[in-house]
Amino acid sequence: MKLIRVRGNCNDEKTCPTLYRTDRHTAAIQGWTVASRRTSSGISPASDETAVEIPAELVAEALATNGASDLLRPTDRGTVVIHGPAVTDPEALEQLALPAEESAIEVPVHLLSEVFAHVE
């Protein structure tokens, strides 16, 4: 799976929360791993899913349109918890080079359509 960086919030472009578009019509979301099975925002990911936390500004358009949803749960820290299947594709994991405290999930791009509306 190939990743195209859409936006992130750090200069090195590798070791921080970042949104990617994939060549599979999905979005890959790199974020801080949420350790608890039931997050502080009330999300209980399925046993085969991973939850990550990202700055709310990365998905601001989706939050403005949809507010809290089953996919995005705002926290009281200016972040959002989002869950989905973990990225397991070896090519994508090599591109991501995730630090120990981060994970990446993959969700259908249409679930974040407002964020990707202006991305070619």
Side-chain angles (χ1 to χ4, degrees):
M1 171 172 59
K2 298 216 183 293
L3 302 174
I4 301 158
R5 185 177 186 273
V6 174
R7 63 173 69 151
N9 73 339
C10 66
N11 294 333
D12 72 7
E13 298 184 9
K14 288 189 184 247
T15 59
C16 67
T18 306
L19 298 181
Y20 299 91
R21 184 181 61 191
T22 76
D23 60 353
R24 301 189 325 188
H25 305 291
T26 60
I29 303 163
Q30 176 181 346
W32 302 293
T33 305
V34 176
S36 171
R37 290 308 308 159
R38 180 162 181 82
T39 70
S40 61
S41 61
I43 289 180
S44 293
S47 61
D48 61 343
E49 291 185 328
T50 298
V52 296
E53 190 169 347
I54 62 172
E57 65 193 33
L58 293 182
V59 290
E61 300 91 337
L63 287 171
T65 304
N66 299 325
S69 68
D70 287 341
L71 182 66
L72 302 172
R73 291 296 171 107
T75 70
D76 59 0
R77 297 179 299 282
T79 61
V80 173
V81 174
I82 184 169
H83 62 93
V87 171
T88 58
D89 180 85
E91 181 182 16
L93 291 172
E94 185 176 330
Q95 291 174 70
L96 291 168
L98 295 167
E101 68 278 1
E102 294 184 8
S103 299
I105 62 169
E106 186 176 9
V107 298
V109 77
H110 75 270
L111 295 177
L112 295 171
S113 59
E114 301 86 357
V115 175
F116 291 92
H118 302 291
V119 177
E120 295 180 14

